């Protein structure tokens, strides 16, 4: 497709011929970002001299693949010398540009008296742009005497240019200089607008011709139906906070019991959760030593609040299990101990619900001084070693530190022997873990460790069917509520592991990751993948949902990918593929009809 532009008139300054800049058209072609073409290919003097000596011809490419042909005639005498060529070019123009210099009244009158009548006779709904070029040098009013011709050398006013534009229904522009602003944005913007309009008109005319040609054949091409909408894939909401909070009330896998100063049991808890939030408990349970923490305030808080009792004659010791009894911790501060259940609930909920904690403590302690004393002790428990207590403003802390990210987190204990009470044996390697976290985050493991199974009493538990890397990724999700598979195959292995332990949210996360990766993968790479991917998906029992999500954008690749699927799965693919088999058959018949001997394609 091509666009033909005819430029008429002389925009040069008659009084400054020596320093005259490049012409309007050539300056635009050289500076417009939409026009491609080097200096040697823009100007075709040799071709224009032989074929059309009247016009200077420019050729370039616009909008990437649109051929742009510009014919420029600055002098009327040359235009009038070959009337036949000039008339044909104006009649076939898509856009006409009329240009003159505001300091050269002669060029304006030449345009007005000579070019305009010719354009009016040949004009047929073709857009016209009138460009007044230059900065006016003489603004004096000319003589209005009918016999005086002194105004021939004066400036062309804006009113005269606008009046000329009204006669033609043209667009009037004033270009004070041929710089990037006036050429690229001002003149170029208007010209490119009309170029786009011309392209749209030619495209619509071309489509009409195609419709007429198709109706002539007697058979219409098949209509491609719209594809089904992509199913909305939503991941399951996180219940990480509620899982750990419920662990405090279910009393499973308890390994520490708190007592008041009178040696009466107050509440049961779990070392791993307490140490994940506070360095005070890490010091109390020997996870870290005083030399590791090196903070006197944390050491002093630990010594003032808690004491470990290992007395075998402790009340209730006979009822405890003889295997691995919970650790007994005595709370020395009576006020703090009276609020310990609320404090532990605050810790298990993520240690960020300050307003609820303060309200619960006020209900139990009427004195405001006692309330402030207990709150300060809680802040000391959550203090970061070596830093000034950053919990002065609890509301700011609540907004800045969401769930389980203060001081340390459960990730610190992932695959670490500290406080571990179970060891998994995988592929000849061992992976330590913590029963409390596993029970809180996985229902299958909760039943396994608390039921009548061998794993309930055993410390070493073998794991089959998954690799060590996959199981570590699975444990990372249980500990941190997040996972980031390294690739699509690791995500599929993790998906199988999540299905085996019935962790639904992790399954959804892996499915979303797999679908996203397969959709963004090029068709060739997808087709060259190892076909064991199908077997993995079959094991995970999610092949139907994955196909229904992928089939919209990767139909042909899906057909290659699922060569080893069952007959039912292939029929599912064929039913939901796009374009459909019916459309492809109709398209093949139409092409066969077009290329048959009875009906030849008019275009070819």
């Amino acid at each position: 497709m091509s666009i033909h532009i005819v430029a008429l008139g002389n925009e040069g300054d008659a009084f400054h011929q020596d320093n005259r800049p490049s012409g309007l058209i050539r300056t635009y072609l050289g500076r417009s970002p939409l026009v491609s073409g080097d200096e040697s290919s823009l100007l075709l003097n040799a071709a224009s001299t032989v074929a059309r000596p009247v016009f200077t011809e420019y050729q370039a490419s616009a909008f990437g693949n649109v051929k742009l042909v510009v014919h420029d005639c600055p002098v009327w005498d040359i235009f009038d010398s070959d009337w036949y060529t000039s008339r044909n070019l104006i009649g076939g123009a898509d856009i006409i540009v009329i240009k003159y210099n505001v300091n050269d009244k002669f060029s304006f009158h030449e345009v007005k008296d000579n070019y305009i009548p010719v354009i009016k006779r040949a004009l047929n709904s073709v857009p016209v742009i009138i460009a007044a070029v230059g900065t006016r040098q003489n603004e004096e009013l000319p003589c209005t005497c009918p016999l005086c011709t002194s105004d021939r050398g004066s400036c062309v006013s804006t009113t005269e240019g606008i009046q000329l534009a009204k006669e033609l229904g043209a667009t009037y522009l004033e270009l004070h200089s041929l710089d990037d602003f006036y050429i690229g944005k001002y003149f170029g913007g208007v010209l490119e607008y009309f170029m786009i309009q011309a392209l749209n008109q030619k495209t619509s005319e071309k489509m009409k011709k195609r419709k007429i040609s198709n109706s002539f054949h007697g058979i219409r091409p098949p209509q491609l139906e719209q594809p089904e909408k992509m199913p909305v894939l939503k991941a399951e909401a996180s219940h990480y906070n509620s899982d750990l909070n419920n662990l405090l009330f279910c009393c499973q896998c308890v390994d520490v019991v708190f007592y008041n100063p009178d040696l009466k049991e107050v509440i049961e808890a779990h070392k791993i959760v307490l140490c994940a939030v506070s360095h005070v408990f890490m010091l109390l349970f020997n996870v870290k030593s005083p030399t590791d923490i090196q903070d006197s305030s944390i050491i002093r808080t630990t010594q003032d609040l808690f004491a470990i009792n290992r007395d075998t004659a402790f009340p209730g010791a006979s009822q405890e299990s003889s295997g691995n009894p919970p650790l007994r911790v005595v709370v020395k501060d009576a006020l703090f101990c009276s609020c310990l259940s609320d404090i532990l609930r605050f810790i298990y909920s993520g240690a960020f619900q300050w307003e609820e904690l303060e309200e619960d403590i006020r209900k139990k302690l009427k004195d405001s001084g006692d309330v402030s004393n207990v709150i300060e002790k809680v802040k000391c428990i959550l203090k970061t070693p070596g830093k000034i207590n950053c919990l002065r403003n609890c509301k700011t802390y609540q907004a800045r530190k969401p769930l389980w990210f203060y001081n340390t987190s459960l990730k610190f204990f992932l695959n670490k022997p500290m406080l571990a009470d179970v060891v998994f044996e995988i592929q000849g390697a061992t992976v330590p873990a913590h029963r409390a976290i596993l029970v809180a985050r996985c229902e299958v493991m909760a039943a396994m460790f608390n039921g009548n199974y061998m794993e309930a009493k055993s410390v070493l538990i073998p794991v089959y069917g998954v690799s060590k890397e996959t199981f570590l990724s699975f444990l990372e999700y249980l500990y941190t509520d997040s996972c980031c598979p390294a690739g699509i195959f690791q995500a599929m292995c993790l998906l199988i592991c999540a299905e085996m332990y019935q962790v639904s949210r992790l399954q959804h996360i892996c499915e979303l990751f797999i679908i996203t990766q397969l959709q963004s993968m090029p068709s060739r790479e997808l087709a060259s993948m190892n076909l064991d991917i199908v077997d993995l998906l079959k094991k995970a029992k999610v092949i139907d949902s994955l196909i229904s999500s992928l089939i919209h954008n990767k139909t042909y690749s899906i057909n290659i990918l699922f060569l080893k699927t069952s007959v039912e799965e292939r029929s599912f693919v064929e039913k939901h593929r796009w374009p459909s088999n019916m459309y492809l058959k109709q398209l093949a018949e139409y092409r066969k009809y077009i290329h048959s001997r009875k009906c030849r394609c008019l275009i070819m």
Side-chain angles (χ1 to χ4, degrees):
M1 194 173 294
S2 61
I3 297 177
H4 295 268
I5 301 175
V6 175
L8 304 173
N10 185 10
E11 71 275 26
D13 193 341
F15 301 101
H16 300 85
Q17 292 291 338
D18 296 336
N19 298 324
R20 185 176 66 180
S22 301
L24 174 63
I25 298 300
R26 185 164 184 176
T27 304
Y28 166 75
L29 295 177
R31 295 185 179 181
S32 175
L34 298 179
V35 177
S36 60
D38 54 16
E39 189 70 18
S40 60
S41 64
L42 287 178
L43 182 59
L44 303 179
N45 283 322
S48 63
T49 302
V50 177
R52 292 168 182 171
V54 177
F55 290 83
T56 301
E57 181 178 333
Y58 299 87
Q59 290 188 7
S61 296
F63 304 104
N65 58 352
V66 177
K67 184 180 180 182
L68 183 63
V69 181
V70 184
H71 295 91
D72 189 7
C73 180
V75 183
W76 167 255
D77 294 335
I78 300 177
F79 182 90
D80 195 29
S81 63
D82 190 351
W83 182 251
Y84 179 81
T85 302
S86 303
R87 185 184 60 182
N88 290 339
L89 286 177
I90 292 180
D94 298 316
I95 303 171
I96 296 177
V97 178
I98 299 174
K99 45 192 173 58
Y100 63 87
N101 195 288
V102 296
N103 294 311
D104 188 0
K105 199 84 177 228
F106 180 83
S107 68
F108 175 77
H109 281 287
E110 186 179 63
V111 167
K112 183 178 181 181
D113 299 334
N114 298 327
Y115 289 110
I116 297 302
V118 178
I119 295 174
K120 285 183 178 180
R121 287 194 297 268
L123 194 61
N124 185 18
S125 67
V126 177
V128 180
I129 301 174
I130 297 179
V133 182
T135 305
R136 294 178 177 85
Q137 304 295 333
N138 183 12
E139 292 289 347
E140 296 180 2
L141 295 175
C143 178
T144 59
C145 175
L147 301 177
C148 185
T149 59
S150 61
D151 62 329
R152 295 285 180 176
S154 62
C155 300
V156 182
S157 64
T158 304
T159 305
E160 292 175 297
I162 295 175
Q163 184 62 33
L164 182 63
K166 287 183 179 180
E167 293 180 11
L168 291 175
T171 302
Y172 176 76
L173 302 176
E174 283 194 359
L175 310 176
H176 298 301
S177 63
L178 300 181
D179 58 7
D180 291 334
F181 174 78
Y182 286 100
I183 295 297
K185 296 183 179 179
Y186 196 26
F187 173 77
V190 176
L191 182 62
E192 289 156 12
Y193 169 78
F194 288 121
M195 289 167 61
I196 294 173
Q197 295 297 322
L199 287 174
N200 292 337
Q201 183 178 357
K202 289 187 176 183
T203 303
S204 62
E205 293 175 357
K206 191 174 181 180
M207 294 299 295
K208 289 180 181 179
K209 291 181 180 179
R210 285 187 178 181
K211 290 182 179 179
I212 295 174
S213 177
N214 291 335
S215 62
F216 173 78
H217 292 310
I219 182 174
R220 294 184 178 181
Q223 298 295 324
L224 181 62
E225 69 277 6
Q226 292 296 325
E228 298 179 10
K229 291 184 178 180
M230 182 72 180
V232 179
L233 303 175
K234 294 183 179 180
E236 183 181 338
S238 174
H239 40 80
Y240 182 72
N241 182 34
S242 59
D243 288 344
L244 295 176
N245 199 13
N246 293 334
L247 185 64
L248 180 65
F249 301 100
C250 69
C251 299
Q252 293 180 343
C253 303
V254 171
D255 54 5
V256 59
V257 181
F258 289 94
Y259 293 84
N260 62 10
D262 297 333
L263 302 183
K264 292 183 179 180
E265 182 177 330
V266 178
I267 191 171
E268 297 175 327
H270 307 82
K271 298 179 184 178
I272 180 67
V273 178
L274 300 177
C275 292
V277 178
S278 172
H279 283 81
V280 170
F281 291 109
M282 295 177 73
L283 183 62
L284 179 66
F285 301 137
N286 296 323
V287 175
K288 287 189 176 182
S289 63
T291 56
D292 296 329
I293 295 179
Q294 295 181 351
D295 191 319
S296 58
S297 61
I298 293 180
I299 298 174
R300 184 170 58 254
T301 301
T302 306
Q303 295 174 351
D304 294 342
L305 285 179
F306 306 105
I308 296 178
N309 190 307
R310 292 186 171 86
D311 188 4
T312 56
F314 195 85
S318 58
Q319 286 79 18
E320 294 175 353
S321 61
S322 58
N324 190 14
L327 184 67
R328 296 184 293 269
V329 177
V330 178
V331 182
K332 298 180 180 179
D333 192 318
L335 292 176
F336 185 87
C337 185
S338 63
C339 304
L340 185 60
S341 58
D342 298 321
I343 295 172
L344 289 186
R345 186 169 61 251
F346 163 75
I347 290 176
Y348 274 70
S349 64
F352 77 105
Q353 298 175 353
W354 281 102
E355 294 180 354
E356 296 182 11
L357 176 63
E358 291 179 357
E359 183 179 355
D360 293 338
I361 294 178
R362 287 193 186 97
K363 291 179 181 179
K364 292 187 176 181
L365 304 178
K366 304 300 181 182
D367 186 78
S368 59
D370 295 338
V371 173
S372 300
N373 186 21
V374 173
I375 291 294
E376 287 300 322
K377 286 183 171 61
V378 175
K379 293 178 180 179
C380 292
I381 290 176
L382 302 178
K383 182 178 180 296
T384 302
K387 294 184 179 180
I388 301 176
N389 200 334
C390 60
L391 304 180
R392 300 296 180 186
N393 189 344
C394 297
K395 292 183 179 180
T396 304
Y397 166 78
Q398 179 174 344
R400 189 177 70 253
K401 298 289 185 181
L403 305 179
W404 294 94
F405 278 96
Y406 190 77
N407 288 341
T408 183
S409 64
L410 289 176
K411 191 174 182 179
F412 177 77
F413 298 92
L414 177 63
N415 197 20
K416 299 288 180 61
M418 297 175 296
L419 303 178
D421 52 3
V422 63
V423 178
F424 293 98
E425 186 178 13
I426 311 171
Q427 295 180 337
T430 56
V431 177
H434 306 80
R435 293 176 185 262
I437 303 302
L438 303 179
V439 168
R441 299 281 290 142
C442 179
E443 294 181 0
V444 172
M445 289 194 175
M448 183 174 66
F449 289 129
N450 294 286
N452 296 323
Y453 298 99
M454 177 186 66
E455 291 81 1
K457 300 180 181 179
S458 177
V459 176
L460 186 63
I461 300 176
V463 177
Y464 306 102
V466 295
S467 64
K468 179 183 177 182
E469 291 75 15
T470 302
F471 194 75
L472 283 176
S473 299
F474 174 72
L475 290 182
E476 182 181 2
Y477 170 79
L478 297 183
Y479 277 66
T480 65
D481 199 45
S482 63
C483 69
C484 184
I488 187 171
F489 284 103
Q490 183 179 358
M492 290 177 180
C493 296
L494 187 58
L495 177 61
I496 296 171
C497 185
E499 196 276 334
M500 182 171 61
Y501 287 100
Q502 299 181 14
V503 182
S504 59
R505 183 170 182 269
L506 181 58
Q507 293 183 54
H508 293 162
I509 293 175
C510 294
E511 289 179 11
L512 288 175
F513 181 87
I514 294 170
I515 292 170
T516 304
Q517 292 294 314
L518 290 178
Q519 285 181 343
S520 61
M521 194 176 296
S523 298
R524 290 184 179 179
E525 184 179 353
L526 185 61
S528 63
M529 290 181 63
N530 192 341
L531 291 180
D532 290 342
I533 180 176
V534 180
D535 298 331
L536 295 175
L537 291 175
K538 286 180 178 179
K539 292 180 182 178
K541 299 179 182 179
V542 294
I543 190 168
D544 287 345
S545 62
L546 289 180
I547 292 178
S548 62
S549 300
L550 293 170
I551 204 168
H552 300 275
N553 297 331
K554 295 288 185 181
T555 299
Y556 297 104
S557 302
I558 289 295
N559 291 339
I560 298 173
L561 180 63
F562 293 98
L563 289 177
K564 289 187 176 181
T565 54
S566 62
V567 177
E568 294 79 5
E569 290 159 354
R570 285 191 217 171
S571 62
F572 183 88
V573 172
E574 295 299 331
K575 180 180 178 181
H576 293 84
R577 65 177 295 168
W578 185 86
S580 63
N581 276 333
M582 181 62 68
Y583 171 79
L584 296 178
K585 291 179 180 179
Q586 294 175 355
L587 183 61
E589 293 176 357
Y590 177 75
R591 288 177 176 175
K592 184 178 179 180
Y593 175 79
I594 291 297
H595 294 89
S596 63
R597 295 182 179 181
K598 297 180 181 179
C599 182
R600 295 286 183 180
C601 179
L602 296 180
I603 299 176
M604 299 302 292

